[in-house]
Amino acid sequence: MKNILLVALAIVAFSEIKAQVVFGRNTGSTNSGVSINYSSPKEYEIADIEVRGVQYLDNNALISLSGLRVGDKIKVPGDEITTAIKKLWNQGIIGNVSIYASKVEGDKIWLVIELTERPRLTKYVIEGVNKTKQGEIEDKIGLIRGKVLTDVVIKNTELAVQKYMESKGYLNAEIDVFQQSDTILRNSAYLKIVIDQGQKVKIRNIKFDGNDEFTSAKLRSKLKSTGMVPKFSLPTEIIRVGTKLIWPPNMINFIKGSKKVSKEEVREYLATHVNLNFFKSAKYVKEDYESDKDLLIGFYNSKGYRDAEIISDTIYDISNKYMNINMTVDEGTKYYFRDISWSGNYIYTDEQLQRILGIEEGDVYDLDLVNKKLNFNPNGADISSLYMDDGYLFFSITPVEIGVAQDSIDLELRIYEGAQATIDKVVISGNDKTNDHVILRELRTRPGDKFSRAELIRTQRELSQLGYFDPEQVNPVPIPDPVNETVDIEWQLVERSNDQIELSGGWGGAFGFVGTFGVSFNNFSVKNITKLDKWRGLPVGDGQSLSLRFQANGRNFQSYSFSFVEPWLGGRNPNSFGLSYSKSIQRSINRLTNETFGWLKVTGVSASLGRRVKWPDDFFLVSTGISYQRYDLFQFRSRALGFTTGDANSFTFNTTISRNSVSQPMYPRNGSSISLSASFTPPFSLWRDLDYENATPEQQYKWLEYHKWNFDSKYYLTLGGKVVLAARAHFGYIGSYTSKADVGPFERFQLGGDGLTGQNFLLGTDVIGLRGYPNNSITPVDRANNIEGGTLFNKYVMEIRYPISLAQSATIYALTFVEGGNNWDRFAEFNPYNIKKSAGVGLRIFMPAFGLMGIDWGYGFDRVPGSFENSGPQFHFSIGQQIR
């Protein structure tokens, strides 16, 4: 019986693998006619091994996997053959395998490994769900054509689909994966994935037990994914109780009589006592539910209940569509801080550290808050930053509870300060086009310097601001060496092209179609122009900017511009040098005769020098420059400028003081940008021999005289996740030195619309956008002097932004905005509260090759000058980063 049982077990075990050893039967015959005596195993030397039945797999690889080698000595029958079959089968790529002898001569044996390959995947089809879900499922299952279809592949596919459906709330979905033979290709198959998604299962109610300190409604609100949100707010809706419709004020009386109660109490009563679906149901996803339970305990811990725990939770179906959750909590005792002591600190005193910690005796016990104040506090200083900014890279701090008495806890903060770390090596990787020196000059973490986490973060920002690298992938990697008290820093960068080409067309109102062509090379290299071996399409790598732009509508309008910026003049200090030239002409043409009867020509040249300064802090930049503009008019009546024929000259000294701490240029999440700029012309009226009171406009504006001020501020704040608040404020003023010499017709402000000067063709003006209003519609007119344009404007903007894509190829974000502004002709008319208001939504797309493009829909709530109706809805298009 024992022998029979052993044989039976062996047969069962061996049947688990779909393979066989063919060495004849007990009669001694085999498929190949080779005689093998099973009752007397004999040792043979393998003379040759042949593989049959393979189409895609490599014969030599299969022989190697089997473990059999030519020249090996094996017993037949014996364990070596069985082991070889198991090894081949365990690879999961074989359907059936058999090993037999094709010839035996003396003590030599010729073996044949005959096998059947598993089919390969040609395609797969998904049935039972819409196209959107099909695409998402394809991303999850990761099936690749040509892949061997093993049982594991099929099972993993089924599990991946099941997990996806559960993440969408379809807990009862049935998934079937069928393998079908492909009749076109040999040894191929396709998968048919059939999904019966059934009803989406939602959470109808979450009930709590044991919660004495917090209401169930409060606890539900802490469940981020599985908590339920009220469908409507009290007291604006009618509530149905049974067959009665009751207004919320009456509902409050119905619950509590005449006693005044809060809305939260009403919601709690409705959720627990009244049979109605008061809350929006949330879908059930196991992973989200487990995370929510951790959030719930975290909420209790933050309120001092350090021992709080979920004793039990029961999930049960109440229908094929809804489920309930019953959760029992043990809140435990509410604890408070008592004594907080420090140990191991020699660099800073207890008082200094306690001041940063900011937790006093009697405060509610919250260990998460302690860890935040010790290691990383996004809202202020923390102990770790204090040490690491001073080089103590190996610093560590551990909070230890050293005493618990009733409801009070004594906490000891144990510090290991370690030694100050010095930067040994700095390694840069990923800069394929940008030269090393362009990156090295921006580093604040250089060899020999003391390590500073603040400088590491600052360098990360500076490299992101350059625009040459993907800001989402500027990654500093410190490599500490505690033995030598040093640290190496590797800067991992991902280069991206930020050269831009502008090729567009637009309708320019009276001008008709206007074409634009422009190129901007933002990582240019002048010194490599003659070194063709260093060209990568263009001479690049030194961080210089070169821009060329041409705009035209036949003879009506033409504009040419050129600009060049060297950010590090001389290469040693961050002193920038800029040079620009532009020329534009706007003609008035008789459409019948095609003759020019008037024009406005504007020619300008400017040069500037900028310098980073370290006071008040090193985010400041001071820039100075000079510019010259010449305005040439001949019978120009397209716009009210005070005169139609003549020329005007503007020579200005310009200075700008700015501070920029914005995290990155394309999708900033935090930081601010403040800029104050001023332009001054010489006070020509002091020495010009001209009677300004009796002079003609042509004589008076021969040399323009004014001072112009602009203030721009931007602020960015992360509200949560990737949602960002972007707030802006802008002010502008242009004035004169004396009452006898007026400001003149040029450099005034025009407000409203897109804000694209190049698309509005308003030469000699400062165009300010205001969404929700037509282009340049908020523009006052000086009737006495017949001049259009304001001398004073203000504008306020607030946007909520959400990124759709932050990929290297394209940055896309949606936004909603409210903004307001106005434009005045005289300072005496200025009223900062009298603004034209608007609101709307928009979309921005940044692609390295084309720059930033945007579309907005805005609704203007006020009237523009000369209109009797509100502005209403307006669409706006934008190209490039707008300053204002």
Side-chain angles (χ1 to χ4, degrees):
M1 287 297 294
K2 184 184 293 186
N3 293 337
I4 294 174
L5 181 59
L6 290 173
V7 171
L9 288 173
I11 293 173
V12 171
F14 194 67
S15 65
E16 291 299 315
I17 60 173
K18 300 175 182 177
Q20 54 179 330
V21 186
V22 183
F23 276 114
R25 305 180 185 276
N26 291 335
T27 58
S29 64
T30 69
N31 293 347
S32 58
V34 177
S35 177
I36 301 294
N37 189 343
Y38 271 77
S39 61
S40 178
K42 184 179 177 182
E43 188 174 72
Y44 293 93
E45 181 184 341
I46 301 176
D48 185 46
I49 303 174
E50 181 184 359
V51 178
R52 297 178 183 175
V54 233
Q55 182 179 0
Y56 299 100
L57 301 176
D58 182 74
N59 291 351
N60 293 327
L62 290 170
I63 294 173
S64 177
L65 289 172
S66 72
L68 299 175
R69 302 288 186 274
V70 174
D72 287 354
K73 293 184 178 181
I74 61 172
K75 286 187 177 181
V76 179
D79 294 336
E80 292 89 345
I81 300 297
T82 304
T83 301
I85 292 175
K86 287 182 179 179
K87 286 182 178 180
L88 289 170
W89 177 256
N90 288 337
Q91 300 303 313
I93 57 177
I94 306 299
N96 289 287
V97 57
S98 62
I99 301 178
Y100 60 85
S102 61
K103 182 169 64 171
V104 174
E105 292 182 358
D107 61 349
K108 294 186 180 293
I109 188 170
W110 280 255
L111 296 180
V112 176
I113 302 175
E114 188 165 354
L115 51 82
T116 304
E117 293 182 71
R118 285 185 180 271
R120 291 179 178 268
L121 180 68
T122 55
K123 64 178 181 178
Y124 57 90
V125 294
I126 302 172
E127 298 178 356
V129 293
N130 58 34
K131 289 185 177 180
T132 300
K133 287 194 177 89
Q134 287 179 14
E136 293 175 348
I137 290 172
E138 288 176 359
D139 294 337
K140 298 292 183 183
I141 58 181
L143 289 175
I144 303 173
R145 290 176 177 83
K147 191 172 187 176
V148 177
L149 279 177
T150 65
D151 293 338
V152 174
V153 169
I154 295 173
K155 187 62 178 178
N156 286 343
T157 300
E158 182 181 337
L159 292 174
V161 176
Q162 187 76 48
K163 186 176 181 180
Y164 167 81
M165 297 306 296
E166 289 177 355
S167 71
K168 295 298 181 181
Y170 296 96
L171 303 184
N172 300 321
E174 295 184 3
I175 317 298
D176 292 309
V177 181
F178 301 101
Q179 179 178 317
Q180 307 283 340
S181 298
D182 192 325
T183 57
I184 299 177
L185 297 175
R186 181 187 171 193
N187 198 36
S188 298
Y190 70 92
L191 291 183
K192 183 189 238 185
I193 304 170
V194 181
I195 304 171
D196 180 5
Q197 60 185 20
Q199 290 280 353
K200 183 180 285 188
V201 179
K202 294 185 177 181
I203 301 169
R204 185 63 177 269
N205 196 8
I206 302 177
K207 298 179 181 180
F208 292 90
D209 187 27
N211 53 313
D212 299 324
E213 297 297 328
F214 303 100
T215 65
S216 297
K218 185 73 172 179
L219 298 183
R220 286 192 200 97
S221 68
K222 301 305 173 184
L223 304 177
K224 182 178 179 181
S225 301
T226 52
M228 297 171 292
V229 181
K231 283 186 176 178
F232 46 81
S233 60
L234 296 173
T236 58
E237 301 287 340
I238 299 175
I239 300 173
R240 179 183 296 276
V241 180
T243 59
K244 295 182 180 180
L245 293 177
I246 301 177
W247 289 94
N250 295 332
M251 171 60 72
I252 293 174
N253 293 331
F254 170 75
I255 298 171
K256 294 283 187 176
S258 60
K259 184 179 178 182
K260 186 178 180 181
V261 295
S262 66
K263 295 178 184 179
E264 187 176 86
E265 290 180 286
V266 176
R267 294 189 181 106
E268 180 64 25
Y269 181 90
L270 294 172
T272 55
H273 294 84
V274 182
N275 184 23
L276 80 161
N277 187 15
F278 181 75
F279 292 93
K280 290 181 181 178
S281 300
K283 65 184 180 182
Y284 175 80
V285 179
K286 184 177 180 181
E287 291 81 2
D288 294 342
Y289 175 60
E290 294 299 327
S291 298
D292 277 354
K293 289 198 294 184
D294 293 336
L295 290 176
L296 184 62
I297 296 301
F299 166 72
Y300 267 108
N301 294 158
S302 69
K303 299 301 180 181
Y305 297 91
R306 65 187 280 273
D307 300 328
E309 60 178 333
I310 299 172
I311 299 175
S312 64
D313 60 313
T314 305
I315 304 170
Y316 58 94
D317 296 332
I318 57 176
S319 68
N320 63 346
K321 189 176 180 181
Y322 291 104
M323 64 188 300
N324 281 349
I325 298 176
N326 292 343
M327 195 178 296
T328 303
V329 298
D330 180 5
E331 295 177 329
T333 303
K334 185 174 184 177
Y335 290 92
Y336 301 87
F337 287 105
R338 192 169 63 177
D339 292 333
I340 300 177
S341 59
W342 304 81
S343 65
N345 53 305
Y346 303 100
I347 307 300
Y348 300 101
T349 65
D350 292 1
E351 291 74 18
Q352 289 175 306
L353 299 177
Q354 184 64 41
R355 194 160 44 246
I356 294 176
L357 184 66
I359 297 175
E360 303 295 338
E361 180 180 350
D363 289 351
V364 173
Y365 185 81
D366 183 358
L367 195 56
D368 285 341
L369 176 62
V370 172
N371 286 320
K372 184 185 294 184
K373 293 291 189 73
L374 296 182
N375 297 300
F376 179 72
N377 183 14
N379 301 318
D382 57 77
I383 305 298
S384 180
S385 295
L386 180 68
Y387 275 93
M388 289 198 176
D389 290 348
D390 197 26
Y392 292 93
L393 174 63
F394 311 112
F395 161 86
S396 65
I397 183 168
T398 306
V400 179
E401 296 177 357
I402 59 173
V404 179
Q406 296 180 350
D407 64 348
S408 299
I409 296 178
D410 296 335
L411 195 67
E412 181 181 0
L413 302 173
R414 299 175 180 174
I415 295 175
Y416 171 73
E417 294 177 334
Q420 286 180 311
T422 303
I423 299 173
D424 185 23
K425 298 177 183 176
V426 175
V427 180
I428 301 170
S429 62
N431 55 319
D432 301 324
K433 293 194 303 181
T434 306
N435 295 327
D436 286 349
H437 74 269
V438 175
I439 302 168
L440 291 172
R441 68 193 185 190
E442 300 291 343
L443 296 185
R444 296 167 181 260
T445 56
R446 300 182 178 182
D449 289 350
K450 184 171 59 178
F451 175 82
S452 170
R453 188 170 73 175
E455 295 297 346
L456 198 71
I457 295 172
R458 179 66 186 275
T459 300
Q460 186 178 24
R461 173 196 173 273
E462 298 298 332
L463 293 178
S464 299
Q465 287 279 0
L466 289 176
Y468 313 144
F469 311 105
D470 182 0
E472 302 296 324
Q473 300 187 65
V474 177
N475 184 31
V477 181
I479 307 171
D481 183 358
V483 176
N484 296 314
E485 299 176 354
T486 60
V487 58
D488 296 341
I489 299 176
E490 180 183 359
W491 287 97
Q492 297 176 349
L493 309 172
V494 177
E495 195 113 38
R496 75 173 184 185
S497 173
N498 65 338
D499 295 335
Q500 298 168 10
I501 181 169
E502 180 185 354
L503 185 61
S504 63
W507 192 261
F511 294 95
F513 180 82
V514 178
T516 302
F517 173 76
V519 290
S520 297
F521 307 112
N522 296 312
N523 195 2
F524 197 71
S525 176
V526 172
K527 71 178 183 180
N528 288 334
I529 291 178
T530 59
K531 302 175 183 178
L532 298 180
D533 58 323
K534 294 187 177 181
W535 282 44
R536 295 164 189 172
L538 286 169
V540 297
D542 283 340
Q544 299 162 348
S545 297
L546 176 67
S547 296
L548 303 168
R549 195 167 188 263
F550 169 71
Q551 214 176 9
N553 169 259
R555 294 171 56 207
N556 287 65
F557 175 83
Q558 294 175 355
S559 178
Y560 315 84
S561 64
F562 159 85
S563 66
F564 172 80
V565 176
E566 166 56 76
W568 283 67
L569 186 63
R572 292 186 177 182
N573 296 305
N575 301 325
S576 64
F577 170 73
L579 186 67
S580 66
Y581 172 81
S582 64
K583 184 172 184 178
S584 301
I585 182 169
Q586 181 178 327
R587 296 183 177 93
S588 300
I589 298 177
N590 188 321
R591 296 185 179 181
L592 297 178
T593 63
N594 201 30
E595 294 180 352
T596 300
F597 59 85
W599 67 69
L600 167 61
K601 299 178 181 178
V602 181
T603 304
V605 61
S606 66
S608 64
L609 286 172
R611 179 176 178 82
R612 298 182 194 176
V613 295
K614 297 183 178 181
W615 187 90
D617 62 31
D618 58 359
F619 286 105
F620 276 84
L621 174 68
V622 177
S623 177
T624 57
I626 56 173
S627 65
Y628 172 75
Q629 295 262 46
R630 176 179 174 83
Y631 305 94
D632 185 6
L633 288 78
F634 176 74
Q635 296 183 2
F636 186 75
R637 295 181 174 86
S638 297
R639 199 166 79 246
L641 296 175
F643 68 107
T644 59
T645 300
D647 60 80
N649 299 273
S650 174
F651 182 83
T652 58
F653 171 79
N654 313 299
T655 183
T656 301
I657 301 174
S658 62
R659 183 185 187 275
N660 185 1
S661 62
V662 174
S663 58
Q664 56 175 267
M666 284 303 102
Y667 190 75
R669 293 179 173 85
N670 53 69
S672 63
S673 174
I674 301 174
S675 173
L676 176 63
S677 61
S679 299
F680 305 92
T681 65
F684 293 109
S685 59
L686 295 180
W687 57 77
R688 286 186 70 191
D689 185 16
L690 179 68
D691 182 3
Y692 278 87
E693 291 185 2
N694 299 313
T696 64
E698 292 87 343
Q699 294 173 324
Q700 184 177 350
Y701 303 140
K702 179 74 173 180
W703 290 97
L704 296 173
E705 182 176 322
Y706 61 84
H707 55 91
K708 184 176 182 180
W709 305 78
N710 278 300
F711 175 79
D712 304 286
S713 65
K714 302 176 184 179
Y715 176 73
Y716 302 95
L717 175 67
T718 299
L719 299 179
K722 297 180 180 178
V723 181
V724 172
L725 168 68
R728 294 185 280 135
H730 308 279
F731 298 90
Y733 174 69
I734 182 170
S736 59
Y737 298 113
T738 65
S739 58
K740 67 177 184 179
D742 202 1
V743 170
F746 301 106
E747 297 302 319
R748 292 181 174 231
F749 305 108
Q750 305 242 5
L751 188 66
D754 308 329
L756 292 176
T757 305
Q759 295 293 337
N760 286 304
F761 317 108
L762 297 174
L763 302 179
T765 61
D766 197 344
V767 178
I768 315 297
L770 187 66
R771 292 168 287 190
Y773 296 89
N775 287 341
N776 317 312
S777 58
I778 307 173
T779 302
V781 178
D782 181 354
R783 302 292 180 184
N785 296 305
N786 191 29
I787 296 176
E788 294 180 1
T791 61
L792 180 66
F793 88 93
N794 68 349
K795 177 182 174 182
Y796 314 99
V797 182
M798 186 170 291
E799 295 180 348
I800 302 294
R801 300 177 175 179
Y802 181 79
I804 299 172
S805 169
L806 296 177
Q808 181 180 355
S809 57
T811 298
I812 306 172
Y813 62 88
L815 60 91
T816 180
F817 68 86
V818 292
E819 67 184 35
N822 210 341
N823 196 4
W824 295 270
D825 180 48
R826 299 292 181 201
F827 186 82
E829 303 170 355
F830 174 66
N831 181 356
Y833 303 104
N834 178 20
I835 59 174
K836 309 295 183 182
K837 301 173 289 297
S838 66
V841 295
L843 184 72
R844 296 290 182 273
I845 302 175
F846 174 80
M847 292 184 289
F850 298 99
L852 185 66
M853 298 174 288
I855 180 171
D856 295 283
W857 178 91
Y859 188 92
F861 297 105
D862 299 291
R863 292 178 293 175
V864 297
S867 175
F868 297 100
E869 297 181 352
N870 294 340
S871 178
Q874 305 280 338
F875 276 100
H876 304 282
F877 299 91
S878 60
I879 300 175
Q881 284 275 24
Q882 291 178 300
I883 299 175
R884 304 178 183 93

